[in-house]
Amino acid sequence: MAEKIIRDPVHDVIAFRLQSPDDALLFRLVNAAEVQRLRRVRQLGMTSLAYPGADHCRYSHSLGVMETARRILAQLEHSIVLDPARRTACLATALLHDLGHGPFSHVFEAVSGIDHEKLGRRIILDPDSEVNRILADHDPSLPSAVADLLCGPVAGEGFWRDILCGQLDADRFDYLLRDNLMTGSRYGGFDLQWLLHALTVDDSTRRLAVTAKGVSAVEAYLQSRFHMYRNVYFHKVVRSAEGMVKLALQRAKRLAVQDRLEWPPRGHVVHKALLGQRLTIAEFTDLDDISVLHCFKLWRESVDTVLAGLCHGLLYRRLYKSIDLSMVDDPACVARILDAARAAVASSGGDDDGYDLFLDEPSDTPYEAYEPDGDGEIRVCDPAGGLARLGAVSPLSRALGHELTFRRLHVSPAHRDAVRRIVVEMT
């Protein structure tokens, strides 16, 4: 049997048996230009400035999500009959779920206004994309089926959507393990094999659930999510660098609007993306971390000192310093500190437009119970055939239902001491 193998650091062997129509389709999609573009988009943006190993890309993650979805479906096939057409659409969607992500992911999206899910849907449905042609060649209805599964619920069979977008989805399973491995953080490990073995479909709701034997594995998975957000995704260096990327892109966008941006020229893919202009499929395929990092290198010599300073800091790890305000709970007090900090920066010669200081308040809830109806809550099937919410059988999951929040001021190094004195005085 003809076979193609990709060696993956998380899942080891990812095999495509080309005599299988599904595997042949997936391998063709892997080699599509729009998927190969994801090699040039880092999964964790600027996280490598805190964890040097975190240079892995969205391409490897996409392969991992596809493989995880394939293993989930293989487990479910032990207890239910899966519709072959939906199975194909589910695996293709798992592989293509990040197709619309831009450079530096959510940071670039926030500045440009690009919605990665909508853009991913457009790429899948656009006849000009290689992905669309491959899907349509397999089945003319497949592009629409994949686009619908990417962006919305599937009528009558909620577990298909749960596999791709839920609290026990293939995306989260892969990125937690992959990010944990590549950062070397050792915070995000959990027993994926046991957790997958415990997955089932509840007969009454047709939603994804776990057997009672899987509760401990789910708890370990939720703890890994908590630790990865606390120690990696919300790391102060990571958040400082991401904030600086956002400021640099906002400054470049402002200069572009004023026709004062020296590079790139009008019509360049980065220029168009900054202004939120519609990109062709070919243009978006050319928009990646490399194209933006090239701009950062040129902007480092910009006559605009604000843009030059931000890009120099990002390229040479001269990052803004963090002042922790997480213990300050009163919003009014936070507002007063922020106002005083801005005044301190201005009085010490800082930029008047707010580029020397920003407040960052990242938050995440490791386990969401979705009260009051509990529609998205993880369900546990007991041996007698009953169904319980995870929160009813796991005190740990209830503890992880509280929001994890940080509050930090990030200040350019030249003004850190002035702002720190203000914060000390006011707290």
Side-chain angles (χ1 to χ4, degrees):
M1 179 181 292
E3 184 179 56
K4 298 292 185 180
I5 292 176
I6 295 175
R7 202 66 184 262
D8 181 71
V10 175
H11 304 292
D12 196 7
V13 172
I14 299 178
F16 300 85
R17 295 172 176 84
L18 301 184
Q19 290 182 356
S20 161
D22 277 1
D23 279 17
L25 167 68
L26 293 170
F27 192 69
R28 288 184 67 195
L29 288 172
V30 165
N31 289 291
E34 296 86 11
V35 176
Q36 289 295 311
R37 168 190 166 272
L38 297 176
R39 290 181 181 272
R40 306 188 302 275
V41 178
R42 284 186 290 186
Q43 173 73 9
L44 292 182
M46 305 301 292
T47 302
S48 62
L49 293 179
Y51 295 93
D55 275 327
H56 55 301
C57 59
R58 287 196 175 271
Y59 169 79
S60 60
H61 167 60
S62 296
L63 285 172
V65 176
M66 181 211 70
E67 178 64 15
T68 304
R70 187 154 57 177
R71 293 173 64 184
I72 292 173
L73 292 172
Q75 170 63 27
L76 298 184
E77 283 180 316
H78 292 308
S79 56
I80 63 173
V81 177
L82 297 176
D83 178 82
R86 284 189 171 179
R87 184 184 187 279
T88 302
C90 181
L91 291 175
T93 306
L95 178 62
L96 303 175
H97 78 286
D98 271 353
L99 210 57
H101 269 295
F104 302 103
S105 298
H106 301 289
V107 177
F108 194 90
E109 188 174 342
V111 175
S112 66
I114 294 174
D115 184 312
H116 73 272
E117 286 193 351
K118 291 181 180 178
L119 184 52
R121 179 182 175 89
R122 180 190 154 205
I123 294 169
I124 290 165
L125 294 176
D126 195 321
D128 288 336
S129 76
E130 191 174 347
V131 161
N132 176 272
R133 292 193 292 272
I134 292 170
L135 292 171
D137 183 56
H138 182 87
D139 180 345
S141 67
L142 190 53
S144 294
V146 170
D148 290 344
L149 194 52
L150 182 68
C151 298
V154 179
E157 298 286 350
F159 69 86
W160 292 106
R161 180 63 175 164
D162 291 338
I163 292 170
L164 299 165
C165 185
Q167 297 210 68
L168 294 174
D169 66 33
D171 184 21
R172 293 186 185 187
F173 288 166
D174 183 81
Y175 78 63
L176 287 174
L177 290 176
R178 190 170 303 275
D179 296 349
N180 173 64
L181 175 66
M182 303 310 288
T183 57
S185 65
R186 301 179 187 268
Y187 295 119
F190 61 93
D191 192 346
L192 178 64
Q193 183 73 16
W194 189 271
L195 182 49
L196 293 180
H197 187 74
L199 291 178
T200 186
V201 173
D202 172 57
D203 288 334
S204 61
T205 63
R206 304 302 291 173
R207 301 294 296 272
L208 206 60
V210 294
T211 63
K213 291 183 178 180
V215 170
S216 293
V218 172
E219 289 176 334
Y221 154 71
L222 294 175
Q223 287 183 83
S224 76
R225 180 176 169 83
F226 170 81
H227 287 300
M228 287 298 288
Y229 272 89
R230 183 177 185 178
N231 296 288
V232 176
Y233 307 137
F234 292 165
H235 190 287
K236 64 181 182 179
V237 170
V238 175
R239 297 297 297 187
S240 180
E242 290 178 349
M244 290 176 66
V245 170
K246 186 176 181 180
L247 289 175
L249 293 174
Q250 287 176 336
R251 185 68 175 188
K253 179 177 181 179
R254 178 177 178 176
L255 295 172
V257 169
Q258 298 171 350
D259 201 23
R260 294 195 297 123
L261 188 63
E262 302 130 287
W263 175 269
R266 290 182 178 274
H268 188 282
V269 61
V270 174
H271 195 285
K272 293 180 69 174
L274 281 173
L275 297 181
Q277 297 174 359
R278 184 178 177 86
L279 303 177
T280 66
I281 297 298
E283 286 173 330
F284 183 71
T285 305
D286 196 41
L287 181 64
D288 52 36
D289 285 8
I290 295 172
S291 56
V292 176
L293 283 170
H294 177 64
C295 290
F296 285 174
K297 291 178 71 176
L298 296 177
W299 291 342
R300 177 190 56 189
E301 305 297 334
S302 173
V303 296
D304 185 87
T305 57
V306 172
L307 182 60
L310 287 164
C311 292
H312 184 274
L314 288 167
L315 291 171
Y316 297 103
R317 204 182 181 278
R318 307 294 190 262
L319 304 179
Y320 284 18
K321 305 302 181 181
S322 301
I323 301 174
D324 194 5
L325 298 178
S326 299
M327 301 304 291
V328 182
D329 294 326
D330 183 6
C333 183
V334 173
R336 288 193 296 271
I337 291 173
L338 185 58
D339 288 341
R342 286 169 175 161
V345 168
S347 65
S348 59
D351 180 77
D352 292 335
D353 293 323
Y355 289 98
D356 281 306
L357 172 77
F358 65 90
L359 178 68
D360 182 44
E361 298 179 294
S363 64
D364 180 75
T365 302
Y367 177 60
E368 298 178 12
Y370 291 95
E371 298 294 349
D373 59 10
D375 179 61
E377 187 167 5
I378 296 172
R379 291 172 167 82
V380 180
C381 296
D382 64 40
L387 190 67
R389 296 179 182 179
L390 180 65
V393 297
S394 169
L396 181 58
S397 72
R398 295 196 296 272
L400 292 171
H402 297 287
E403 187 175 65
L404 172 67
T405 301
F406 289 94
R407 183 177 295 109
R408 303 184 185 108
L409 277 177
H410 295 273
V411 191
S412 58
H415 306 289
R416 177 187 57 177
D417 292 342
V419 172
R420 189 180 296 278
R421 285 194 294 271
I422 291 295
V423 172
V424 169
E425 291 172 3
M426 298 186 69
T427 57

